[in-house]
Structures are given as C-alpha cells and as structure tokens.
Amino acid sequence: MTRSSLPPLLPQCKARPVKAEVVAKLVVIKEEFTGEPEKKEKLKVPESLISFKEESNRVSDLSDSERKALDEFKQLVQEALDSRSFTSPPPPPPPKEEIRTFSSAATTAAATEAQKSEDQSSDVSTEITPPAAEKLEEEATPAKEEEPAATTASSSSSVEVSIWGIPLLEDDISDVVLLKFLRARDFKVKEAFTMLKNTIQWRKEFEIDELVEEDLGDDLEKVVFMHDHDRDCHPVCYNVFGEFLNKELYEKTFSDEEKRTKFLRWRIQFLEKSIRNLDFTPGGVATIFQVSDLKNSPGPAKRELRLATKQVVQLLRGRR
C-alpha cells in the first residue's frame, strides 16, 4: 500500500470550543487519582491539558537558525544515504589479537636474525630486515588494494530509506518528518541525526514494514482505538486499561511471554498504522493526541501488566 492510497484519518475536522462539562470532568478525574480536592477558583483547566497547539511544520514559518539547522540536517541525511550507512550493517571489528600475534612473531624473528647477523659481521651497522619477518608482516597486514573498490561500490548510488511510509529527502512532506526529529532535539543537528539513525535501526530490527501487514487479530479493539478529534483537529487515541478487568482478556493478553510479545507487536502495529494515516503535508495535522483512561484499571499490582508496560516504555525509549 502506497502513501497516496491511504485514506486521511481526519477528512473533515473543524476546531471547536471546549465545553464546561469537559473541564469539570477533568477536575474530578484529577481528584480521584491525586486525592487532592481542586479549589473552585482553579476550576478552569489550562487548555494545554485538553488539547495542544502543534508548532508549524511549514519551512516558510521557520526562523533563519531553524531553517539553517534543517539544511544541515538534510545534508547529513544525504551523506548517510549516499554511503548507505542507514542500511549497511556496521563493519566487524578487525582481529586485533591475531594481528598482534603475527606482529609479535615477526618482531621476535627479526630480532633473532639481526643478532645472528651482528655476530657474523660486527663491522656492518646497516639494519637488515629478514625475508621471513617481511613475509610474516605481509600476512599480518590487510590488503589495502581492495578498500577503494569497496568504497566506490558503496557510494555508487543512494538507497531509499523511509519512515512511516515516507521516503527521506523526497519532497516537502519529507521535510515535515525531519522537522519532528529536529524539534525533539531542540534543533541540535547532530543529536537529531543520532536519533534518526537509532530510529531507522530500530525499525529495521523490529521489521516495522512487514509488521504493518500482519494479521494480529482484533481482540484488543476495545482497549486501544481511535475516536474523534480534539479541538485542534488532532485525532485522539484512547487507551482504556479498565477493559483488562475482564479476566479472560487479561489472561489471553498477558499470561506468558509469548502473549505479552504479541501484545507489544499489536500495539506497535496499531501506532504505526495510525501514524501512516496522518496528514504530513505542510500545514497538515501530523500528531496524535493520546488519552490513557485508568478508571477501573487493574493497576501496578498486576505483575504481567506491569511487565508489558515496562516493555513498551523501554522499546519506545530505545528508538530515541
């Protein structure tokens, strides 16, 4: 499935004001989880708790320093694509111990032969390198002639690399993706590039593109689902942990390592599909608003749920 064939996640969305009852409900939820009553004068919850204002993803709206950072970032990405450093596995370390052994043997042989030569002709002061030592040193030294050929082959053409189905450095939609990495690292180019490399490596190891096509069932469709939009038209993803009070569903999801791994893959698949349905064109809505509903949740006392949650957190942190 190509990027252009995906249906938009938010076809017709209009910003709407926050209703007073929504604010009051958030206050009640806060009281339930903190145990601290909310004062009446603080009844008005900041809008940031209900929605958030997404920063502009138009290059024309960037400051000069931000635009310069984006250009530098794109240059690093282009160099990485040309050298295939995003797709090629890291080269294996050289066999240092073996080289050291050969070098040591060569040094010992050279010293022995030099001593013999010195005994036979004490008036000769010129240093002589024995043929045997030269042979050992040649065996210990890697062939240098092959390196230029390998370098030329690796940089002959760029390999397409994509994230969320969007190829890097293709068009202005690619710029929107790169801006997310820059903003996550406060426009520090090198840190953003390291984050991008780690993300690409993680996606490759986790086989994200293949995972999207897998059929992992719909048992958890009431636990995690997309519904409606916030006041700024961001699609809302709900995580309803209270559904795990159903013992059958809980056992089916978390009772052993294999089932927890499947839940992890299902959750990542759901997130990936949702992101691919966003609008990454400049000016589009390219962020999901997440809501975690902890009402009637089994809570941290459930070991299996705690382990699964820890796995998700560690996995998502690893991408960064």
Side-chain angles (χ1 to χ4, degrees):
M1 180 178 291
T2 61
R3 183 179 69 203
S4 59
S5 65
L6 290 171
L9 192 60
L10 39 147
Q12 294 180 345
C13 175
K14 296 181 180 180
R16 52 189 182 275
V18 181
K19 296 181 180 179
E21 56 265 29
V22 174
V23 176
K25 186 175 181 180
L26 285 174
V27 172
V28 173
I29 292 175
K30 182 178 179 181
E31 290 181 7
E32 289 180 353
F33 281 94
T34 63
E36 299 177 359
E38 190 76 12
K39 295 181 180 180
K40 291 184 179 180
E41 59 268 25
K42 293 184 179 180
L43 181 60
K44 185 178 179 180
V45 178
E47 290 186 4
S48 60
L49 296 181
I50 303 167
S51 183
F52 64 95
K53 190 68 176 178
E54 189 172 1
E55 295 179 281
S56 174
N57 52 25
R58 298 178 189 273
V59 175
S60 59
D61 292 337
L62 299 178
S63 65
D64 291 341
S65 60
E66 291 172 341
R67 195 177 295 111
K68 181 180 178 182
L70 177 60
D71 290 339
E72 293 177 1
F73 191 25
K74 291 169 71 173
Q75 180 63 34
L76 289 178
V77 173
Q78 185 63 65
E79 292 173 359
L81 291 172
D82 291 341
S83 63
R84 304 191 181 190
S85 61
F86 283 143
T87 54
S88 301
K96 295 181 180 179
E97 295 299 328
E98 183 179 353
I99 292 176
R100 190 178 296 113
T101 302
F102 278 128
S103 298
S104 177
T107 303
T108 303
T112 302
E113 292 296 331
Q115 184 63 42
K116 288 181 180 179
S117 176
E118 207 173 298
D119 293 342
Q120 293 173 0
S121 179
S122 58
D123 59 335
V124 178
S125 60
T126 306
E127 185 179 351
I128 301 175
T129 304
E134 290 179 356
K135 185 176 181 181
L136 286 172
E137 288 176 351
E138 290 175 0
E139 292 176 355
T141 305
K144 295 183 179 180
E145 291 76 14
E146 297 179 0
E147 291 181 1
T151 304
T152 303
S154 64
S155 60
S156 58
S157 62
S158 299
V159 176
E160 183 180 285
V161 177
S162 63
I163 293 181
W164 307 317
I166 300 173
L168 300 180
L169 301 184
E170 183 177 81
D171 48 28
D172 53 0
I173 295 180
S174 304
D175 289 346
V176 173
V177 173
L178 295 182
L179 276 173
K180 284 186 173 291
F181 287 87
L182 279 172
R183 284 204 166 97
R185 291 296 178 262
D186 297 322
F187 282 87
K188 297 176 182 177
V189 177
K190 291 185 178 180
E191 293 183 16
F193 183 68
T194 299
M195 181 183 181
L196 177 65
K197 286 200 303 183
N198 291 341
T199 299
I200 292 172
Q201 183 62 30
W202 171 80
R203 293 174 65 84
K204 181 179 178 182
E205 293 173 355
F206 210 77
E207 299 180 338
I208 293 295
D209 292 329
E210 292 78 11
L211 176 63
V212 171
E213 304 299 330
E214 285 188 35
D215 181 7
L216 298 176
D218 56 2
D219 297 330
L220 300 171
E221 60 181 4
K222 291 184 179 181
V223 178
V224 182
F225 55 89
M226 305 295 297
H227 177 69
D228 211 346
H229 313 84
D230 71 358
R231 66 191 300 259
D232 290 316
C233 294
H234 300 102
V236 181
C237 176
Y238 290 90
N239 302 271
V240 186
F241 292 95
E243 291 293 327
F244 289 124
L245 284 180
N246 182 324
K247 292 184 179 180
E248 182 179 351
L249 179 62
Y250 185 90
E251 292 293 324
K252 191 175 182 179
T253 309
F254 301 117
S255 59
D256 57 46
E257 183 66 27
E258 182 179 352
K259 292 175 181 176
R260 288 193 293 271
T261 300
K262 183 181 179 181
F263 166 74
L264 180 66
R265 292 179 61 79
W266 181 88
R267 187 63 184 87
I268 296 298
Q269 182 196 64
F270 183 90
L271 179 61
E272 180 73 14
K273 286 182 175 181
S274 300
I275 292 175
R276 292 189 181 209
N277 280 334
L278 291 172
D279 181 7
F280 282 95
T281 57
V285 178
T287 302
I288 295 173
F289 191 89
Q290 296 259 6
V291 175
S292 293
D293 185 354
L294 301 177
K295 186 176 181 180
N296 297 325
S297 170
K302 289 287 189 178
R303 177 179 175 275
E304 296 82 6
L305 179 58
R306 188 171 67 250
L307 287 174
T309 303
K310 185 178 180 180
Q311 276 185 304
V312 172
V313 172
Q314 288 177 340
L315 182 61
L316 295 180
R317 280 182 178 173
R319 315 172 55 171
R320 303 169 69 89

